[in-house]
Amino acid sequence: MCAVGLILTWAVAALVPASQARDAAALDGFTHMTRLGALAYRVAELADPQSCLLLGAVLIGVALLGGRPRVAAAVPLVLLGSALTTELLKPLGAHAHATTLGVRDIPAASWPSGHATAAMALALCAV
């Protein structure tokens, strides 16, 4: 079911012109945020590799302090597995992005998002 959902998401994002236009409009909106722009970038930086490693280490420590060694062992597996899966899927989902609004260039192999995957993996590990 997850694979079907992934394929459907890609198909809509890559093949439906209305979705591409809305994606470009959303990106344009995010790149022109003034007051919240700095905060949005700081939040996105939490999913950078260095921050992800630090937050993962904190989650491992919390699990160990809570007497949950199996959870502590699962955290690095989930984080590494999600990163590897994302990097393997990127070439398969590579497609040109709509840039009709003149926003910055987006690499073709930008989906699935490594930042979104890392953020979700960290959130699931925290739960």
Side-chain angles (χ1 to χ4, degrees):
M1 292 300 289
C2 289
V4 169
L6 184 69
I7 291 167
L8 287 174
T9 301
W10 173 84
V12 170
L15 305 174
V16 177
S19 295
Q20 292 174 341
R22 285 185 174 61
D23 184 43
L27 179 61
D28 186 58
F30 280 118
T31 58
H32 290 97
M33 291 182 356
T34 53
R35 290 189 281 171
L36 295 177
L39 177 62
Y41 281 110
R42 300 229 184 211
V43 170
E45 286 174 354
L46 291 175
D48 284 347
Q50 299 85 357
S51 299
C52 193
L53 285 173
L54 177 63
L55 292 170
V58 168
L59 292 175
I60 292 168
V62 168
L64 289 173
L65 288 173
R68 301 184 68 160
R70 290 179 18 188
V71 172
V75 169
L77 294 175
V78 169
L79 296 178
L80 183 60
S82 66
L84 289 174
T85 303
T86 299
E87 292 306 313
L88 290 172
L89 288 173
K90 280 182 182 277
L92 297 175
H95 69 283
H97 292 272
T99 55
T100 57
L101 299 175
V103 295
R104 63 184 166 176
D105 291 330
I106 304 168
S110 63
W111 184 85
S113 166
H115 282 81
T117 303
M120 181 54 72
L122 284 168
L124 291 174
C125 286
V127 171

